[in-house]
Amino acid sequence: MFITNEMDAGQMLAEHLKGRRVSPEATAAFVNLRHDRDLCPHISDQVNTMLAVYRAYGQEVHDMQSFRDDGVDVLLTYEDKDGNERKVGIQIKSDDEFRQWEAKKLPLLQILKGQIATAFANARVDDFYVLLCVDAIRHRSRIRTVCSELKNFPRCHIIEPIDALGFYQMQPMSLWSRTVRLLCNRDAVLRAATDECDGRAPDVAFFTITLMEQAFGGSLRVDDSRLFDIWNEWEEFAGEEAGEPDRLSEILGELLGDVLGGEVGQDYSIQIDGLPKALCALYFDLKVRSEAFDGPGSDIIGLVQLADRLANDIG
């Protein structure tokens, strides 16, 4: 695949930080997460996962540092499309800090304003993000106060809890896949592979991708036990929308003569020449570029947006 959308790392981070909202009730998950122990390390990992995509596609122009100095918890340095160095600072505020503010034990607003000023003056950031990793319901009024007090600070962006938790909880594979899709959204191989999956029922597409990964891993034999194993994987992936187990016989019927060769009641063999060509091309592209997660098959499932399509089909 090739990059077809020249989003720089700063633009990509902005897209992810407001890309997956959760409910205000869900933000109670922040209550037991601590700034140094949980929030800073994980946000750093999320940014690194995003940057790994740029590295995989040959753009070694990004750097990420995690430290507590100059008003910044995480500092991202990158080049924009014109070759200019830019810096993004991230400051994280925890629920514990908000509760101390609530109890009048911490002058959080004054501290935050000082951190913003220091980040622009000393770290020389171009943009500054404040991630409010707090319970959105309990701290509703304090969140409004922060947004109001900081609204006139130029290039300072407040990420509210419903957006911050969406970014925090995004699985690495989902984050990696979404970054690839945004960068390579017009790539011919990716679009063709997506079309190949869209032409199949979601469960058939899942089986096809799983069997393709098995075949390229060196095993062509498929027996009934293996089919039931894949069905169990499908149930884990699709949850309540997986369907009834007797659907497996219908899936097998759609795979026979194409992806699978053989007769019912006997062992089957994966037919390499029957595998979708664009999916195969995507598999080997990922095999070369991606070092992460559970293998190219899992990456492909994310890239062709199978989970999103399943949700849309049900909706």
Side-chain angles (χ1 to χ4, degrees):
M1 289 187 294
F2 297 96
I3 291 177
T4 59
N5 182 9
E6 293 188 6
M7 293 179 70
D8 61 42
Q11 294 170 323
M12 184 65 73
L13 178 63
E15 186 74 24
H16 283 311
L17 287 175
K18 291 199 172 182
R20 180 181 174 270
R21 286 192 162 184
V22 302
S23 68
E25 292 77 12
T27 61
F30 278 136
V31 170
N32 295 318
L33 299 179
R34 294 294 177 262
H35 183 276
D36 292 351
R37 184 191 68 197
D38 306 302
L39 296 171
C40 284
H42 190 67
I43 294 297
S44 297
D45 288 344
Q46 295 292 72
V47 174
N48 262 325
T49 296
M50 180 192 82
L51 293 182
V53 175
Y54 284 89
R55 298 185 190 105
Y57 286 85
Q59 293 198 9
E60 295 287 350
V61 292
H62 316 92
D63 180 50
M64 196 281 298
Q65 300 175 44
S66 180
F67 61 94
R68 297 190 65 185
D69 196 8
D70 293 332
V72 174
D73 287 321
V74 178
L75 180 67
L76 168 63
T77 304
Y78 66 96
E79 289 184 7
D80 64 18
K81 63 181 179 181
D82 297 319
N84 302 311
E85 183 180 275
R86 296 183 64 85
K87 294 181 179 180
V88 172
I90 299 175
Q91 174 60 230
I92 302 165
K93 291 304 172 193
S94 68
D95 197 84
D96 179 62
E97 291 172 284
F98 262 62
R99 279 184 272 120
Q100 290 185 55
W101 180 26
E102 179 185 30
K104 303 185 185 306
K105 295 180 179 179
L106 184 73
L108 188 139
L109 266 179
Q110 292 92 320
I111 291 172
L112 187 49
K113 289 178 181 180
Q115 289 172 326
I116 294 170
T118 302
F120 281 103
N122 294 357
R124 299 187 180 279
V125 300
D126 296 285
D127 288 282
F128 191 79
Y129 288 90
V130 179
L131 272 60
L132 302 182
C133 299
V134 305
D135 185 330
I137 295 179
R138 174 172 178 168
H139 300 295
R140 182 182 291 113
S141 64
R142 281 170 286 282
I143 293 168
R144 284 199 300 264
T145 298
V146 170
C147 293
S148 176
E149 289 284 330
L150 301 183
K151 66 182 179 182
N152 293 323
F153 281 73
R155 305 192 309 281
C156 178
H157 316 281
I158 310 302
I159 305 302
E160 296 192 32
I162 56 175
D163 295 310
L165 186 62
F167 180 66
Y168 186 88
Q169 290 185 332
M170 191 179 295
Q171 293 297 312
M173 188 187 75
S174 298
L175 179 56
W176 192 93
S177 297
R178 186 166 188 264
T179 304
V180 172
R181 285 200 65 86
L182 287 168
L183 278 179
C184 308
N185 60 342
R186 295 188 300 276
D187 178 79
V189 171
L190 179 57
R191 293 176 69 174
T194 302
D195 288 343
E196 287 174 343
C197 286
D198 287 348
R200 294 166 166 79
D203 49 10
V204 176
F206 184 92
F207 268 71
T208 300
I209 293 168
T210 304
L211 290 169
M212 176 184 67
E213 183 172 25
Q214 175 181 325
F216 292 141
S219 176
L220 299 178
R221 178 176 173 272
V222 178
D223 57 16
D224 288 339
S225 176
R226 176 58 180 147
L227 290 173
F228 279 112
D229 286 343
I230 300 175
W231 175 261
N232 290 335
E233 294 172 17
W234 165 248
E235 285 187 319
E236 183 177 351
F237 174 81
E240 295 180 356
E241 314 305 337
E244 297 298 325
D246 57 7
R247 166 66 180 158
L248 180 56
S249 62
E250 298 174 11
I251 296 172
L252 178 58
E254 295 194 39
L255 295 173
L256 280 172
D258 183 13
V259 174
L260 289 178
E263 297 182 4
V264 176
Q266 301 178 3
D267 288 352
Y268 311 102
S269 177
I270 301 171
Q271 307 296 298
I272 298 293
D273 58 357
L275 293 171
K277 292 181 174 57
L279 280 174
C280 293
L282 191 58
Y283 173 93
F284 286 108
D285 183 276
L286 294 171
K287 189 75 172 175
V288 172
R289 299 183 192 273
S290 175
E291 301 175 355
F293 322 130
D294 299 325
S298 298
D299 296 349
I300 290 172
I301 287 169
L303 285 175
V304 299
Q305 297 180 300
L306 196 56
D308 293 343
R309 185 183 154 209
L310 178 64
N312 291 336
D313 285 354
I314 298 303

